Amino acid sequence: MTHFTATLADTSAGSPAQRFVSEDGVINSRPRVLGGGSCINAGFYTRASDEYVLDVGWDLEAAKAAYRWVEDVVAFHPELGPWQAALQRGLMEVGVAPDNGFTFDHIDGTKVGGSIFDDKGRRHTAADLLRYARPEGIDLLLRARVAKILFNVGGRRARSVAHGVVFHDSRGRMHKAYLNTGRRNEIILSAGAMGSPQLLMLSGVGPADHLRSFNITLVLNQSAVGQGMADNPMNAIFVPSPSPVEVSLIQVVGITHFGSYIEGASGSNWANPRHQGSGGNRRPPRNFGMFSPQTGQLATVPPKQRTPEAIARATEAMSQLDDSVFRGGFILEKVLGPASTGHLELRNLNPDDNPAVTFNYFSHPEDLRRCVEGLTLIERVIQSKSFQNFTYPYFSLEELLNITAEFPVNLLPRHDNDSKSLEQFCKDTVMTIWHYHGGCQVGRVVDAEYRVLGVDALRVIDGSTFNASPGTNPQATVMMLGRYMGVKMRDERVRAEGLRRRKL
């Protein structure tokens, strides 16, 4: 848990996180590690609401069984420290009721959710679910990067059929893997909201004009691939604390009636204190986590001036600050949905490179309204009696907004009225909460069984299929969907095999 932001700040070739910056200027990360986003995220575990499950068309009882299957391995009940407990009480004090205690369920009010960090702060990930696998039934290739899907095109069949993949190993050598013969054998693409639409396009399934501009052989003109991209905007207020705070990631959530979720994180996971070096008073370079010049770069500097030298100077300046300056936590709000959407396009033919993605944060007025209401609620929590031990009484909300606006969280310019206009503050300080989704949505790119429309033997099963982010955090639902669809596909094959044998 304490190394959460260090992983995101690692931009080396061997990092499990691959940074990308959206065309909106917001810094984000995508995973490149076994276990996907569960290996690099903030760990909060919570189910989607029953309404969400039913609206998507999933069987409610089967979905709950799949959630439980995941939770038996990766989900834990976090113990709240004083800062998180104060946030919980503060939310209740300002009317985010009832108090639902600890629960995995999505229920209006204030609750303590699950965590994929155990009581020792160790992360458990989707990769842990491999303990359920039959070793003789699965081959797992580490550091194998899929480059494209292979299709049989033309011939007697009216539709193209996926029949293999091209991938590269850790040394860059190319390999091909093919499906075995059999009508029910198929390829399942689970490369995430960035990777799945990107790979479909690289394989010839996507908007015809866009693919032709890269000289990609068209397999299927599918204009909806890459469309409907969305990322839940996050805005936060930093609250300096006169009292020590624990290291915590998201544990408490306030689920409001107006469509904003209030959460918080505290301690040195945002701005890691310096540690004594082995050589006397020498100290290693300080990592300021998400809000460091290394991670956020310099939001107030024009893009061409954000040089490595400028970043180094900013890092040195911040390193001279006393640790107490960074003592405190962030109370944040995430917008439901969101209603604003964008699109994804290829930059080049390299599957390892990030595509270009635009989320269009706050382009829909409903998202901006919810952000403002969420920040107004956070102000009341900060001023609550429950939170008074973790706030300085002489800091006004305007001053807190000014402090927060100085953090280099994105590449957007700041405005003089950031502390006067909550609408402007929302737009200028928008961050990701790593809940991006879309690009291969149900009803547009895949059907209700997650089969890619217009081709055979290919499904997409991951967050790229979501039309909206489920609940306050999608990771539980992404893992649940894998189990849910796995059971469904297995049962279909068992029934089909039984029918075939009866016919014999």
Side-chain angles (χ1 to χ4, degrees), residues 364-384:
H364 195 289
E366 182 67 10
D367 293 338
L368 191 59
R369 182 191 67 78
R370 287 170 169 166
C371 177
V372 170
E373 285 204 55
L375 292 175
T376 302
L377 184 63
I378 290 174
E379 177 185 12
R380 293 168 57 203
V381 172
I382 294 171
Q383 295 171 344
S384 68

Side-chain angles (χ1 to χ4, degrees), residues 107-157:
I107 311 171
D108 287 353
T110 296
K111 75 166 193 172
V112 178
S115 175
I116 63 173
F117 292 101
D118 63 22
D119 59 1
K120 294 181 174 61
R122 295 177 301 195
R123 181 187 293 270
H124 296 256
T125 76
D128 293 30
L129 299 171
L130 285 168
R131 71 175 59 178
Y132 285 120
R134 291 182 296 106
E136 70 276 11
I138 185 171
D139 291 321
L140 179 64
L141 305 185
L142 293 172
R143 298 178 179 86
R145 306 184 311 284
V146 173
K148 67 182 296 186
I149 301 159
L150 299 172
F151 290 92
N152 282 325
V153 182
R156 297 180 180 179
R157 299 179 65 102

